[in-house]
Amino acid sequence: MPHQAPFPKNTWYVACTPDELADKPLGRTICNEPIVFFRGDEGRVAAVEDFCPHRGAPLSLGFVRDGKLVCGYHGLEMGCNGKCASMPGQRVRGFPSIRAYPVEERHGFVWLWPGDPEKADPSLIPELHWADNPDWAYGGGLYHVRCEYRLMIDNLMDLTHETYVHASSIGQPEIEEAPPETTVNGDEVITSRHMENIPAPPFWQAALRGCGLADDVPVDRWQICRFTPPSHVHIEVGVAHAGNDGYDAPAEVKAASIVVDFITPETDTSIWYFWGMARNFKPEDAELTAKIREGQGKIFSEDLEMLEAQQRNLLRYPERQLLKLNIDGGGVQARRIIDRLLTEEQEAIREGATA
């Protein structure tokens, strides 16, 4: 029986950022499939199997010439469609093609569809209202994490851990004292937390100062986590000077932003984690963007050790059942949606095989 992957494939994942393709091909495994990304004809991004049909060398070790991907071993040229184009002194146009993947460049990311190419609909790429808006600034990065993608979703949909893992930056006891509320709207899961009249933790003190606001007064704080398939989590976060309606406070008394999380499976137990923060205050301030990015990068790095250790423990004790508490509601509901999508994909595959 073939291995059933724990992640949907008929969907769009963030594969890389355009700067990663600036001067050479990029090899990256996504959903257990080795893929090479490169800029082909007219600078358009292409994605094909990272496998040269001549001798099996990784095409990612080659280079791009005149819109073709050239194998770094013997010079076989591959087109964006996965077909062999030419090779010095050889006749190769009859060589079998390698797989080409649907790929789109949008919102500052390169998106890949690893499933059935006939079902790849670019309109299904999520709209990011902040991505191409001059009133917003974005800064982010990429981490490779040795844990399965659903563990990271669990982590982001339950921010109780901030009190402990991020005690020096965004954590505070008031987080675990505020009960979360989880709702499901179709394929979207929303977990919300609102805290009133509390001190601002160090990260948010700095954000208040960045907005020209006092950082030593009580604040109302909010965290609104939104999961959408296959593995995207965007979190509205912020603080406002207390007594101004919290989340709905006017802009002049609050610091708010969107934590952006795109989680792309590499293998069953490893991920590419694209993280960042979008904000709509002082978008022109590049120094502030860099400072926030540095602070956020340190915060997310604190998660990695815990998640990787958690993954090792789960692999060591696969028979153990984990407890589910009320704080786990967001992750539980997200997993239910993922399980449904996986079941639907398998049913479609079986129906196609018997048609």
Side-chain angles (χ1 to χ4, degrees):
M1 177 178 290
H3 169 71
Q4 181 178 345
F7 33 73
K9 286 194 170 184
N10 285 328
T11 188
W12 292 102
Y13 289 100
V14 171
C16 62
T17 52
D19 60 287
E20 295 184 272
L21 303 175
D23 54 4
K24 60 182 180 180
L26 171 70
R28 179 157 290 166
T29 296
I30 294 178
C31 295
N32 289 323
E33 299 185 24
I35 301 170
V36 56
F37 299 84
F38 65 101
R39 291 200 177 275
D41 299 327
E42 301 179 355
R44 287 181 56 86
V45 178
V48 298
E49 282 183 89
D50 196 5
F51 185 93
C52 179
H54 172 221
R55 301 297 296 166
L59 290 167
S60 55
L61 297 180
F63 58 93
V64 179
R65 181 174 59 207
D66 298 329
K68 300 293 190 296
L69 181 58
V70 183
C71 179
Y73 198 8
H74 297 95
L76 178 67
E77 292 190 359
M78 303 296 301
C80 299
N81 57 2
K83 293 183 179 180
C84 301
S86 66
M87 186 173 177
Q90 305 295 322
R91 303 175 71 175
V92 297
R93 291 188 178 270
F95 267 32
S97 298
I98 58 175
R99 182 178 177 185
Y101 294 82
V103 64
E104 294 284 335
E105 187 172 357
R106 190 175 300 183
H107 307 319
F109 299 99
V110 174
W111 302 78
L112 176 88
W113 182 281
D116 183 350
E118 294 185 1
K119 296 181 178 179
D121 181 356
S123 70
L124 298 177
I125 294 174
E127 285 300 320
L128 307 177
H129 66 85
W130 45 264
D132 303 304
N133 188 330
D135 294 332
W136 287 74
Y138 176 80
L142 170 63
Y143 283 132
H144 178 255
V145 191
R146 292 178 178 84
C147 76
E148 77 132 306
Y149 78 108
R150 287 173 294 194
L151 293 183
M152 181 62 84
I153 294 173
D154 294 343
N155 172 274
L156 294 166
M157 291 300 289
D158 170 28
L159 300 182
T160 308
H161 73 275
E162 289 184 355
T163 302
Y164 303 94
V165 180
H166 309 303
S168 64
S169 53
I170 56 177
Q172 58 187 139
E174 289 82 359
I175 296 174
E176 60 181 339
E177 294 168 4
E181 179 182 338
T182 297
T183 59
V184 179
N185 181 17
D187 280 349
E188 182 182 52
V189 181
I190 304 170
T191 295
S192 304
R193 249 196 185 100
H194 295 270
M195 296 149 273
E196 296 182 353
N197 204 37
I198 64 173
F203 179 88
W204 284 111
Q205 288 177 349
L208 286 167
R209 291 194 297 272
C211 292
L213 295 169
D215 65 351
D216 58 352
V217 299
V219 297
D220 296 334
R221 183 180 179 186
W222 58 90
Q223 301 168 327
I224 304 173
C225 311
R226 301 177 186 273
F227 163 85
T228 53
S231 49
H232 313 324
V233 180
H234 293 176
I235 310 173
E236 293 183 71
V237 292
V239 295
H241 285 175
N244 290 283
D245 293 329
Y247 177 79
D248 296 314
E252 58 267 22
V253 294
K254 71 180 177 182
S257 55
I258 300 173
V259 177
V260 178
D261 306 284
F262 291 114
I263 306 158
T264 299
E266 178 193 36
T267 68
D268 289 13
T269 55
S270 61
I271 61 173
W272 301 105
Y273 176 36
F274 296 86
W275 56 267
M277 181 172 281
R279 73 177 193 280
N280 62 350
F281 60 89
K282 292 191 175 182
E284 75 289 346
D285 191 335
E287 185 177 345
L288 179 59
T289 300
K291 187 177 295 186
I292 290 175
R293 181 188 179 280
E294 180 182 4
Q296 192 191 22
K298 290 179 179 177
I299 291 169
F300 283 140
S301 70
E302 294 169 345
D303 287 304
L304 306 191
E305 181 181 4
M306 182 65 73
L307 286 166
E308 292 186 344
Q310 179 190 14
Q311 180 66 72
R312 289 193 298 271
N313 246 6
L314 293 174
L315 291 173
R316 188 175 294 120
Y317 303 107
E319 74 286 352
R320 293 203 173 183
Q321 296 297 311
L322 302 184
L323 301 176
K324 294 181 176 63
L325 307 174
N326 66 321
I327 58 174
D328 303 313
V332 169
Q333 294 297 336
R335 284 177 179 248
R336 286 178 179 171
I337 291 171
I338 291 169
D339 288 344
R340 175 172 54 77
L341 295 176
L342 289 170
T343 298
E344 290 173 356
E345 277 197 9
Q346 288 303 308
E347 289 176 350
I349 290 172
R350 286 193 292 270
E351 290 175 1
T354 58

